[in-house]
Amino acid sequence: MKILVCISKTPDTTAKIAFTDNNTKFNEAGVQFIINPYDEWYALVRALELKETIGADVHLITVGGADCDAIIRKALALGGDEAFRINADSADSYYIAAQIAAHAKEKQYDIIFTGKETIDYNGSGIGGMVAELLDLPYVSIAAKFELNGTVATINREIEGGEEICEVSLPVVVSCQKGMAEARIPNMRGIMAARTKPLAVVEPVATDTLTSVVSFELPPAKAGVKLINPDNVGELVKLLHEEAKVI
Amino acid sequence: MSILIFADQAHGKIKKAALEAVQYGSKVAAQLGTTATALVLGPADNAELAALGNYGAAKVLHVADARLQEVESTVYTKIIAEAADKEGAAVIVFPHNFDGKAVAPRVAARLKAGLVAGAVSYPDTANGFVVKKTVFSGKAFANVNITSERKVIALTPNTFPAVAGSGTAAVEAFAPAINDADFKVKVIKTETVSGDIPLTEAEIIVSGGRGLKGPENWGILEDLAKALGAATASSRPVADAGWRPHHEHVGQTGLTVRPNLYVAIGISGAIQHLAGVNGSKVIVVINKDPEAPFFKAADYGIVGDAFEVVPKLTAAVKEFKGQ
């Protein structure tokens, strides 16, 4: 059993969001970077649980520069066996998916896990694109993944509930809350991660189909209007007459 | 050339987010001097299909095949790509909902079309084809230029509310070749809470946090939601404690919602919760702690005990609505 987990470097969930260079670049000053939470807490940990229960090689892949090495080492410390960093910097989901697909085609994985989206770009695109490029089935926004031989039973979220589906491996799955419980690397894992293989691979030639022209922040809120708790009728009036939402 | 819109349905009824996508697509079509074709997969009522004309679709392609009741991303992708080729679609529009997220990226990869997912603007064609999308979990926007010949846009629900006009759409049966063998993912069971308004489509949401002290106290929140015609939601600690089902959890690791009105009761407003709600047009916060960070993100606030304030607010809403 071979599992590939796609990971991405993102700013911490509490990072202050600001931009530089005429609003064309994210301001990284003072920002702590982490493994994208959906990739780490759900995709990676579920892969590690499968490794522990049925035995599997867990490979990690990320598309990015040397600044991604720290998060890759953390993923190795959590229990990943091998890592591949495709040495390219791109925000275009097609370009990233094409790099992952090129690697996966060569290695022939049984399961490819991604997080449901990254918390910086919120594209939700990588899993579906990788699946299409590899001509594999795809289950998105999965909250549960069970394996019985080579058949996976997956719960995926739909509006107001869940669908439970079955699919034969190989499969691509995007993961969300419910898949697994977050873990913390232990000292043994951290020490072991130092010697685990991290291969830096040059990208394959691929087109970029989108580019970020600029960023902008939402307009600042005008500030809260406080209403006396003994006069809730005032709030109803404001919601109707001023905000026009009821 | 045309604009193709994937209009997803549930039990034969076109989803609200899909109506918004059809209306958006038809406006993009007008912008580019062409027409909009909606594509509906799975059994659907003919009147439902024709009614897409009210949202600007000139034509509706319908694949009535009962096997398409649920989304199978491989099969859906093949059909949508075939429809895009048939219609000469330059832009393919999806709702950025569960179905759209399952299919839009696949279609984009198949057609080698640039994807903007989570769009919140019409394309700006003055310099390329620039679409604004939310990034950093709603804390900012990116203006993204799609440079490929074909383009895929997934529209964030409740960005441009669908308003029915008057128009007629020609409904055309579409019968692409679909093989049983293509259905790799088989749905064996569906578990949905019937009768509830899906949170991602709700215009008003009443949400509760730990301040409500326990699941037994949710009645006051549900009464307010009922009076407002709202959906109910919860913060993460509440979902984690099992007080409320996971599909009600709103925030960074739960659902991102964009209602017109979000009423937060007993929620302090951690940054991770705000990430899921900061697209709301109006935020009301009810919390007894005047220092709760949520007040900084709110439009209206009441500092007070939820157990006293909420029933009073429910009564005031009922009085306003003449219930």
Side-chain angles (χ1 to χ4, degrees):
Chain A
M1 173 75 61
K2 283 169 73 180
I3 303 174
L4 180 67
V5 180
C6 309
I7 61 172
S8 180
K9 184 190 89 161
T10 60
D12 180 78
T13 53
T14 58
K16 184 178 179 336
I17 306 302
F19 303 103
T20 59
D21 294 15
N22 208 9
N23 285 334
T24 58
K25 274 203 183 85
F26 173 66
N27 184 354
E28 298 189 359
V31 171
Q32 190 188 350
F33 285 92
I34 58 170
I35 307 172
N36 178 46
Y38 298 113
D39 303 346
E40 179 190 341
W41 302 347
Y42 311 125
L44 173 57
V45 178
R46 189 66 193 113
L48 297 174
E49 287 174 352
L50 290 168
K51 174 183 166 176
E52 287 154 12
T53 51
I54 57 168
D57 268 341
V58 175
H59 288 189
L60 310 160
I61 188 165
T62 194
V63 179
D67 55 329
C68 294
D69 287 356
I71 65 131
I72 300 171
R73 288 283 172 211
K74 186 190 173 186
L76 289 169
L78 282 162
D81 297 299
E82 261 184 74
F84 300 86
R85 175 167 66 79
I86 312 300
N87 192 24
D89 193 16
S90 175
D92 179 53
S93 46
Y94 179 82
Y95 181 93
I96 294 165
Q99 302 305 328
I100 294 167
H103 167 86
K105 206 173 190 116
E106 187 194 327
K107 297 279 180 184
Q108 297 290 308
Y109 293 98
D110 300 290
I111 304 165
I112 299 175
F113 281 135
T114 73
K116 70 164 181 157
E117 64 187 80
T118 57
I119 62 167
D120 56 0
Y121 197 69
N122 305 109
S124 319
I126 300 298
M129 288 185 184
V130 169
E132 183 61 27
L133 294 169
L134 296 170
D135 196 19
L136 290 177
Y138 174 52
V139 179
S140 51
I141 317 187
K144 202 171 171 193
F145 180 98
E146 296 298 337
L147 204 53
N148 188 349
T150 57
V151 177
T153 304
I154 306 171
N155 294 34
R156 77 169 167 206
E157 192 168 0
I158 54 171
E159 275 100 7
E162 280 189 337
E163 264 175 4
I164 299 160
C165 38
E166 272 183 358
V167 58
S168 292
L169 302 185
V171 65
V172 181
V173 181
S174 82
C175 308
Q176 67 149 344
K177 190 183 168 207
M179 281 290 267
E181 287 298 326
R183 296 180 175 189
I184 299 166
N186 57 28
M187 190 47 80
R188 204 168 129 235
I190 294 166
M191 298 305 284
R194 292 179 181 177
T195 55
K196 285 180 179 173
L198 191 173
V200 178
V201 183
E202 287 311 304
V204 294
T206 307
D207 288 338
T208 292
L209 309 180
T210 59
S211 62
V212 175
V213 180
S214 63
F215 292 101
E216 54 188 83
L217 291 168
K221 285 262 183 188
V224 63
K225 229 179 225 181
L226 287 176
I227 290 112
N228 185 323
D230 295 324
N231 187 14
V232 292
E234 176 68 10
L235 175 61
V236 175
K237 190 165 165 251
L238 287 167
L239 291 176
H240 177 61
E241 291 174 7
E242 187 177 80
K244 296 183 171 58
V245 288
I246 61 170
Chain B
M1 183 174 98
S2 75
I3 307 296
L4 182 74
I5 304 107
F6 167 71
D8 58 336
Q9 51 91 17
H11 314 297
K13 201 169 166 14
I14 309 294
K15 290 179 183 174
K16 184 170 152 245
L19 297 177
E20 292 168 8
V22 170
Q23 180 182 273
Y24 175 91
S26 64
K27 289 198 175 169
V28 174
Q31 233 180 306
L32 302 178
T34 180
T35 58
T37 300
L39 172 67
V40 179
L41 306 184
D45 184 61
N46 227 12
E48 273 286 307
L49 298 169
L52 290 174
N54 295 329
Y55 298 92
K59 184 163 52 163
V60 179
L61 291 180
H62 180 219
V63 188
D65 197 315
R67 291 173 296 176
L68 301 174
Q69 194 79 269
E70 288 107 4
V71 175
E72 207 293 347
S73 72
T74 311
V75 179
Y76 268 53
T77 298
K78 279 185 182 168
I79 298 170
I80 296 165
E82 202 172 315
D85 288 342
K86 173 177 148 38
E87 295 295 304
V91 182
I92 300 117
V93 177
F94 292 82
H96 192 53
N97 58 5
F98 291 111
D99 293 346
K101 287 174 189 178
V103 186
R106 274 203 97 122
V107 172
R110 191 180 188 90
L111 301 176
K112 217 175 165 187
L115 166 70
V116 171
V120 292
S121 81
Y122 288 100
D124 177 353
T125 52
N127 276 313
F129 193 94
V130 178
V131 183
K132 189 195 280 196
K133 78 178 289 288
T134 50
V135 287
F136 297 102
S137 305
K139 294 195 277 280
F141 300 103
N143 294 300
V144 182
N145 188 24
I146 307 180
T147 50
S148 53
E149 194 181 342
R150 283 173 135 177
K151 294 143 177 83
V152 176
I153 302 172
L155 176 70
T156 301
N158 212 24
T159 301
F160 301 111
V163 182
S166 59
T168 49
V171 180
E172 191 182 300
F174 178 46
I178 306 167
N179 305 319
D180 272 343
D182 289 339
F183 288 81
K184 304 270 193 298
V185 180
K186 293 179 177 65
V187 175
I188 50 176
K189 201 169 154 197
T190 303
E191 293 175 348
T192 52
V193 182
S194 58
D196 279 14
I197 308 162
L199 276 173
T200 44
E201 297 201 348
E203 287 175 14
I204 304 178
I205 294 174
V206 179
S207 188
R210 268 183 305 195
L212 282 168
K213 294 192 171 70
E216 67 281 5
N217 297 325
W218 237 255
I220 59 166
L221 185 145
E222 282 168 341
D223 288 348
L224 176 60
K226 204 168 158 193
L228 286 166
T232 57
S234 81
S235 65
R236 177 173 183 159
V238 163
D240 283 355
W243 295 2
R244 301 299 290 176
H246 164 70
H247 71 260
E248 278 199 4
H249 162 206
V250 163
Q252 183 97 54
T253 51
L255 289 170
T256 300
V257 293
R258 291 173 63 87
N260 298 337
L261 173 61
Y262 185 82
V263 183
I265 301 165
I267 302 175
S268 63
I271 201 160
Q272 290 86 351
H273 184 75
L274 295 183
V277 305
N278 52 18
S280 310
K281 292 185 179 71
V282 174
I283 294 175
V284 172
V285 171
I286 299 168
N287 201 305
K288 67 179 181 195
D289 175 11
E291 299 302 314
F294 216 153
F295 282 116
K296 288 192 178 65
D299 299 282
Y300 303 100
I302 296 179
V303 179
D305 183 346
F307 296 102
E308 289 169 21
V309 173
V310 176
K312 279 191 208 164
L313 183 57
T314 304
V317 169
K318 281 182 176 170
E319 190 186 343
F320 163 74
K321 293 200 167 189
Q323 293 168 342

